[in-house]
Amino acid sequence: MAHTFQVTFDAHAPRKLGRFWAELLGYEEQPPPAGFATWDEALTAFGVPEEERRRDSAYAIVDPAGAGPRIFLQQVPEGKSAKNRVHLDVNVAAELPHDRRRAKVAEVAERAVELGATRVREVDDPKGYAMVMLDPEGNEFCLQ
């Protein structure tokens, strides 16, 4: 039996970083639980103190089609200090013929930069083509 999973990011500003990833991936903010109009209502009902609700302590995004994993972003006090041991490979051109992949990756990389990402380097080798990027908080990811 396969297990479902979520991807969790430690972040300085979970909402801001979550919005970056939502835009890049075509995700949306996770709706509040059934029976609640807003997350604030739900968190109040669950007994989360008001100071916790007002702080940017957590944020979650989901694939609107339900196919991709949930991404949960949690606030941590420390900044990123080393290279990621795990990173996301965002497949933006896998369905395209090899000769058209570079252009599609470049197009999405430009959009990612507009959203706050940074280009690091291109990788073009026999295994494939990718653009190594950093998200707004310095987490590595690849567009391929």
Side-chain angles (χ1 to χ4, degrees):
M1 175 177 116
H3 299 282
T4 61
F5 66 95
Q6 74 177 9
V7 177
T8 301
F9 283 79
D10 288 348
H12 173 71
R15 182 176 303 276
K16 181 178 178 186
L17 189 59
R19 288 181 174 155
F20 165 83
W21 281 106
E23 282 290 322
L24 185 67
L25 299 174
Y27 272 41
E28 62 186 24
E29 179 178 331
Q30 182 175 1
F36 297 99
T38 66
W39 272 106
D40 196 50
E41 267 184 36
L43 295 173
T44 299
F46 300 156
V48 176
E50 186 174 350
E51 59 275 3
E52 284 281 318
R53 294 192 315 266
R54 290 187 179 203
R55 228 181 45 178
D56 185 15
S57 62
Y59 192 71
I61 60 173
V62 294
D63 176 353
R70 176 181 191 245
I71 296 179
F72 181 73
L73 302 103
Q74 61 188 5
Q75 188 177 55
V76 296
E78 69 278 355
K80 183 175 175 295
S81 61
K83 183 181 183 324
N84 297 18
R85 295 293 303 260
V86 175
H87 71 264
L88 301 184
D89 287 337
V90 182
N91 297 315
V92 300
E95 76 287 351
L96 296 175
H98 185 72
D99 62 336
R100 294 185 32 220
R101 289 182 187 164
R102 278 176 161 275
K104 182 63 175 182
V105 168
E107 174 189 319
V108 177
E110 184 59 37
R111 176 71 178 128
V113 167
E114 290 170 4
L115 294 169
T118 304
R119 283 186 186 89
V120 176
R121 71 181 178 283
E122 287 181 280
V123 176
D124 194 0
D125 61 32
K127 294 182 279 185
Y129 176 77
M131 179 71 68
V132 180
M133 310 279 296
L134 298 177
D135 75 12
E137 290 202 11
N139 300 299
E140 294 90 358
F141 67 98
C142 292
L143 297 174
Q144 57 186 31

